[in-house]
Amino acid sequence: MLDSKASPPGPPAPDADLHPETRLVHGGILRSQYGETAEALFLTQGFVYDRAETAEARFKNEDPGYQYTRYGNPTISMFEDRLAALEGAEACRATATGMAAVHGAIVGLVKAGDHVVAPRAMFGSCRWIIEEMLPRFGVTSTLVDGTDLDQWRRAVRPQTTLFFLETPCNPTLEVIDIAGVAEIAHAAGALLVVDNVFASPLYQRPLALGADVVVYSATKHIDGQGRCMGGAILASKVLIEERIQLFLRMTGPSMSPFNAWVLLKSLELLPLRVGRQTETAGKLADAMTAIPGIQKVIYPGRADHPQAALIARQMSGPSTLIAFEVAGGKAGAFRFQNALKLIGISNNLGDAKSLITHPPTTTHSRFTPAERAALGITDGMLRLSVGLEHVDDLLADVQRAAAAL
Ligand SMILES: *Cc1c(COP(=O)(O)O)cnc(C)c1O
């Protein structure tokens, strides 16, 4: 058997009572015979066996140990186990990018003839997989307004096997009721996959709310410093080992051990970084509501977010992202971006550096104006990813940009 992760005996899993900060420093450690304090980087493709019999046993899954990095690697295992410890998931598999995680989770769980339900408001590439790619393999889908539970209910067909959603969603920071959707999915005999990138594992725990699978782009808050691409799929041991692992091993979207090492160390600082970025985002969002030219501020931590009650129920913290609208439509949004001196124009997010993007002309330019309007994406909308700069410097930059409107 090639399909189960064989790893040498490591330290015991961290105590279930430990706080997230502690798990992010101690979770998943596999120490070598040298007793290193910092986690080792095993930048190797393969592993040598002491005897032919060991190789045979390892391929028969009778000997714990690694075979080939496409199947598993100690540094990648440490990243997976640490993230699983934070998420409270039984199992995790790392992937090369967030999209490899989304693709692996979806394709691992569906087959020709199946039907998928998902919201219209989704990260562009996720929507492409569901809308454009899956039909080529005989998997149909229905897209709904994710905030309307009745639409999820009405979309169910006898062939429905999978629900997929992202919340808060990109770029409007609209929130979907995970527990409500999970209940509808399970009543239909379907599984629910949640893309938890915008909330980060710190602020929302989809598995505890009833989701079956959680996916991440580790490229975003988990790296947090704009360096490595990465992704992760978290679920029960049964789902990972029986439905997803073999697909990943045989098709090869594996994470590089180097990236796993960077991301593993980044996890140690996740609460510090995201905590500070969120605090700054909250202050900035409040201050932005009073700046002339900024017409609307959408922030999950504000009482005027249209779904504040759901956010209070479902999330333990708000967001490092702010969506807002400026006067003057596209021209206004361009003037605003071009007047910024500190905040960079980039479609990425979760970085230590604050970044801004104009969704209608970048991440959502594939959609028609009518489709964008249906998603609540106006021509004057901007999405700001708040970094680690001082709040006063960011506010001055935003004020300068608003003055140029
Ligand atoms: C970035 C992102 C992805 C894709 O991740 P990559 O690492 O870029 O492949 C998927 N979903 C959401 C919500 C994202 O923000």
Side-chain angles (χ1 to χ4, degrees), residues 10 16 25-26 37 64 78 82 135 157 229 259 268 354 366 395:
V25 177
H26 290 282
T37 46
M78 286 191 269
R82 184 164 290 181
R157 297 183 197 164
M229 304 294 295
N259 287 7
E268 295 182 339
S354 291
R366 182 170 85 77
L395 184 56

PDB file of all heavy atoms in Angstrom, residues 10 16 25-26 37 64 78 82 135 157 229 259 268 354 366 395:
ATOM      1  N   GLY A  10       6.907   9.907  16.880  1.00  0.00           N
ATOM      2  CA  GLY A  10       7.330  11.239  17.306  1.00  0.00           C
ATOM      3  C   GLY A  10       6.918  11.457  18.736  1.00  0.00           C
ATOM      4  O   GLY A  10       6.511  10.522  19.422  1.00  0.00           O
ATOM      5  N   ALA A  16      -4.687  18.213  24.644  1.00  0.00           N
ATOM      6  CA  ALA A  16      -5.876  18.845  24.077  1.00  0.00           C
ATOM      7  C   ALA A  16      -6.266  20.123  24.838  1.00  0.00           C
ATOM      8  O   ALA A  16      -6.976  20.965  24.316  1.00  0.00           O
ATOM      9  CB  ALA A  16      -7.033  17.865  24.081  1.00  0.00           C
ATOM     10  N   VAL A  25       3.451  26.498  18.809  1.00  0.00           N
ATOM     11  CA  VAL A  25       4.898  26.453  19.059  1.00  0.00           C
ATOM     12  C   VAL A  25       5.359  25.009  19.261  1.00  0.00           C
ATOM     13  O   VAL A  25       6.457  24.631  18.853  1.00  0.00           O
ATOM     14  CB  VAL A  25       5.246  27.322  20.294  1.00  0.00           C
ATOM     15  CG1 VAL A  25       6.730  27.229  20.610  1.00  0.00           C
ATOM     16  CG2 VAL A  25       4.864  28.778  20.030  1.00  0.00           C
ATOM     17  N   HIS A  26       4.499  24.186  19.858  1.00  0.00           N
ATOM     18  CA  HIS A  26       4.923  22.818  20.207  1.00  0.00           C
ATOM     19  C   HIS A  26       4.293  21.726  19.357  1.00  0.00           C
ATOM     20  O   HIS A  26       4.746  20.579  19.401  1.00  0.00           O
ATOM     21  CB  HIS A  26       4.609  22.544  21.687  1.00  0.00           C
ATOM     22  CG  HIS A  26       5.472  23.328  22.619  1.00  0.00           C
ATOM     23  ND1 HIS A  26       6.768  22.968  22.904  1.00  0.00           N
ATOM     24  CD2 HIS A  26       5.253  24.487  23.297  1.00  0.00           C
ATOM     25  CE1 HIS A  26       7.303  23.849  23.744  1.00  0.00           C
ATOM     26  NE2 HIS A  26       6.391  24.794  23.995  1.00  0.00           N
ATOM     27  N   THR A  37      16.596  22.293  18.731  1.00  0.00           N
ATOM     28  CA  THR A  37      15.457  23.022  19.303  1.00  0.00           C
ATOM     29  C   THR A  37      14.518  23.480  18.187  1.00  0.00           C
ATOM     30  O   THR A  37      13.308  23.300  18.279  1.00  0.00           O
ATOM     31  CB  THR A  37      15.917  24.258  20.114  1.00  0.00           C
ATOM     32  OG1 THR A  37      16.886  24.961  19.339  1.00  0.00           O
ATOM     33  CG2 THR A  37      16.502  23.878  21.448  1.00  0.00           C
ATOM     34  N   PRO A  64       6.835   1.849   9.861  1.00  0.00           N
ATOM     35  CA  PRO A  64       6.592   3.293   9.827  1.00  0.00           C
ATOM     36  C   PRO A  64       7.850   3.983   9.308  1.00  0.00           C
ATOM     37  O   PRO A  64       8.951   3.626   9.659  1.00  0.00           O
ATOM     38  CB  PRO A  64       6.330   3.641  11.289  1.00  0.00           C
ATOM     39  CG  PRO A  64       7.042   2.593  12.071  1.00  0.00           C
ATOM     40  CD  PRO A  64       7.083   1.354  11.217  1.00  0.00           C
ATOM     41  N   MET A  78       5.489  17.859  10.020  1.00  0.00           N
ATOM     42  CA  MET A  78       5.447  18.773  11.177  1.00  0.00           C
ATOM     43  C   MET A  78       4.485  19.928  10.906  1.00  0.00           C
ATOM     44  O   MET A  78       3.709  20.319  11.773  1.00  0.00           O
ATOM     45  CB  MET A  78       6.850  19.300  11.499  1.00  0.00           C
ATOM     46  CG  MET A  78       7.729  18.265  12.163  1.00  0.00           C
ATOM     47  SD  MET A  78       9.258  18.976  12.839  1.00  0.00           S
ATOM     48  CE  MET A  78      10.378  18.807  11.453  1.00  0.00           C
ATOM     49  N   ARG A  82       1.054  20.378  13.036  1.00  0.00           N
ATOM     50  CA  ARG A  82       0.910  21.614  13.809  1.00  0.00           C
ATOM     51  C   ARG A  82      -0.385  22.332  13.436  1.00  0.00           C
ATOM     52  O   ARG A  82      -1.125  22.804  14.303  1.00  0.00           O
ATOM     53  CB  ARG A  82       2.121  22.522  13.575  1.00  0.00           C
ATOM     54  CG  ARG A  82       2.113  23.766  14.401  1.00  0.00           C
ATOM     55  CD  ARG A  82       3.466  24.435  14.439  1.00  0.00           C
ATOM     56  NE  ARG A  82       4.431  23.641  15.209  1.00  0.00           N
ATOM     57  CZ  ARG A  82       5.693  24.000  15.431  1.00  0.00           C
ATOM     58  NH1 ARG A  82       6.148  25.127  14.932  1.00  0.00           N
ATOM     59  NH2 ARG A  82       6.490  23.240  16.143  1.00  0.00           N
ATOM     60  N   PRO A 135     -17.768  20.510 -14.965  1.00  0.00           N
ATOM     61  CA  PRO A 135     -18.680  19.990 -15.997  1.00  0.00           C
ATOM     62  C   PRO A 135     -17.972  19.127 -17.040  1.00  0.00           C
ATOM     63  O   PRO A 135     -18.567  18.215 -17.606  1.00  0.00           O
ATOM     64  CB  PRO A 135     -19.257  21.263 -16.641  1.00  0.00           C
ATOM     65  CG  PRO A 135     -19.125  22.303 -15.585  1.00  0.00           C
ATOM     66  CD  PRO A 135     -17.883  21.969 -14.818  1.00  0.00           C
ATOM     67  N   ARG A 157     -30.309  18.335  -5.079  1.00  0.00           N
ATOM     68  CA  ARG A 157     -30.887  17.339  -5.991  1.00  0.00           C
ATOM     69  C   ARG A 157     -30.512  15.956  -5.462  1.00  0.00           C
ATOM     70  O   ARG A 157     -29.638  15.842  -4.615  1.00  0.00           O
ATOM     71  CB  ARG A 157     -30.253  17.474  -7.390  1.00  0.00           C
ATOM     72  CG  ARG A 157     -30.526  18.801  -8.058  1.00  0.00           C
ATOM     73  CD  ARG A 157     -29.918  18.763  -9.457  1.00  0.00           C
ATOM     74  NE  ARG A 157     -29.799  20.107 -10.002  1.00  0.00           N
ATOM     75  CZ  ARG A 157     -29.035  20.396 -11.048  1.00  0.00           C
ATOM     76  NH1 ARG A 157     -28.341  19.443 -11.648  1.00  0.00           N
ATOM     77  NH2 ARG A 157     -28.971  21.628 -11.504  1.00  0.00           N
ATOM     78  N   MET A 229       4.238  29.959  -1.456  1.00  0.00           N
ATOM     79  CA  MET A 229       2.920  29.440  -1.778  1.00  0.00           C
ATOM     80  C   MET A 229       2.711  28.170  -0.955  1.00  0.00           C
ATOM     81  O   MET A 229       3.659  27.432  -0.681  1.00  0.00           O
ATOM     82  CB  MET A 229       2.816  29.055  -3.265  1.00  0.00           C
ATOM     83  CG  MET A 229       3.152  30.146  -4.257  1.00  0.00           C
ATOM     84  SD  MET A 229       2.001  31.526  -4.255  1.00  0.00           S
ATOM     85  CE  MET A 229       0.496  30.746  -4.822  1.00  0.00           C
ATOM     86  N   ASN A 259       9.247  25.093   1.673  1.00  0.00           N
ATOM     87  CA  ASN A 259       8.082  25.918   1.986  1.00  0.00           C
ATOM     88  C   ASN A 259       7.419  25.447   3.280  1.00  0.00           C
ATOM     89  O   ASN A 259       6.952  26.269   4.076  1.00  0.00           O
ATOM     90  CB  ASN A 259       7.076  25.880   0.833  1.00  0.00           C
ATOM     91  CG  ASN A 259       7.566  26.689  -0.363  1.00  0.00           C
ATOM     92  OD1 ASN A 259       8.693  27.166  -0.377  1.00  0.00           O
ATOM     93  ND2 ASN A 259       6.717  26.837  -1.356  1.00  0.00           N
ATOM     94  N   GLU A 268       4.218  29.696  14.276  1.00  0.00           N
ATOM     95  CA  GLU A 268       4.532  30.076  15.652  1.00  0.00           C
ATOM     96  C   GLU A 268       4.130  31.529  15.933  1.00  0.00           C
ATOM     97  O   GLU A 268       3.772  31.883  17.050  1.00  0.00           O
ATOM     98  CB  GLU A 268       6.035  29.895  15.923  1.00  0.00           C
ATOM     99  CG  GLU A 268       6.465  28.437  15.841  1.00  0.00           C
ATOM    100  CD  GLU A 268       7.943  28.220  16.159  1.00  0.00           C
ATOM    101  OE1 GLU A 268       8.738  29.180  16.052  1.00  0.00           O
ATOM    102  OE2 GLU A 268       8.287  27.085  16.524  1.00  0.00           O
ATOM    103  N   SER A 354       0.868  46.159   4.089  1.00  0.00           N
ATOM    104  CA  SER A 354      -0.521  46.430   3.706  1.00  0.00           C
ATOM    105  C   SER A 354      -0.625  46.493   2.190  1.00  0.00           C
ATOM    106  O   SER A 354       0.228  47.077   1.523  1.00  0.00           O
ATOM    107  CB  SER A 354      -0.984  47.750   4.318  1.00  0.00           C
ATOM    108  OG  SER A 354      -1.095  47.607   5.714  1.00  0.00           O
ATOM    109  N   ARG A 366     -12.978  38.976 -14.648  1.00  0.00           N
ATOM    110  CA  ARG A 366     -13.527  37.926 -15.495  1.00  0.00           C
ATOM    111  C   ARG A 366     -15.067  38.010 -15.577  1.00  0.00           C
ATOM    112  O   ARG A 366     -15.683  37.515 -16.504  1.00  0.00           O
ATOM    113  CB  ARG A 366     -13.103  36.591 -14.870  1.00  0.00           C
ATOM    114  CG  ARG A 366     -13.493  35.345 -15.570  1.00  0.00           C
ATOM    115  CD  ARG A 366     -12.759  34.153 -14.931  1.00  0.00           C
ATOM    116  NE  ARG A 366     -13.422  33.594 -13.757  1.00  0.00           N
ATOM    117  CZ  ARG A 366     -14.485  32.797 -13.804  1.00  0.00           C
ATOM    118  NH1 ARG A 366     -15.036  32.483 -14.949  1.00  0.00           N
ATOM    119  NH2 ARG A 366     -15.008  32.308 -12.691  1.00  0.00           N
ATOM    120  N   LEU A 395      -3.202  55.187   8.469  1.00  0.00           N
ATOM    121  CA  LEU A 395      -4.313  56.141   8.416  1.00  0.00           C
ATOM    122  C   LEU A 395      -3.905  57.384   7.621  1.00  0.00           C
ATOM    123  O   LEU A 395      -4.682  57.886   6.795  1.00  0.00           O
ATOM    124  CB  LEU A 395      -4.749  56.507   9.843  1.00  0.00           C
ATOM    125  CG  LEU A 395      -5.964  57.424   9.948  1.00  0.00           C
ATOM    126  CD1 LEU A 395      -7.175  56.824   9.223  1.00  0.00           C
ATOM    127  CD2 LEU A 395      -6.320  57.692  11.410  1.00  0.00           C
TER     128      LEU A 395
END
